[in-house]
Amino acid sequence: FAWLQNFRRLVTRYEVKVENFLGFLHLGCILILLRQF
């Protein structure tokens, strides 16, 4: 969860719908994993 602190949009939840928030959460996790390779 500490790595997700770099994504401002995920730290403060601006989205009203849960689906949008989960989409950005998945996108952030994918970007973190891609940086590892």
Side-chain angles (χ1 to χ4, degrees), residues 1 4 10 19-31:
F1 289 110
L4 291 174
L10 295 177
E19 294 86 8
N20 291 342
F21 178 73
L22 287 177
F24 280 112
L25 183 65
H26 287 137
L27 184 63
C29 291
I30 289 170
L31 288 174

Side-chain angles (χ1 to χ4, degrees), residues 1-12 24 28-29 31-32 35-36:
F1 289 110
W3 290 345
L4 291 174
Q5 294 291 326
N6 295 331
F7 298 97
R8 257 190 313 182
R9 189 157 189 148
L10 295 177
V11 175
T12 305
F24 280 112
C29 291
L31 288 174
I32 288 171
R35 287 182 194 163
Q36 298 295 321

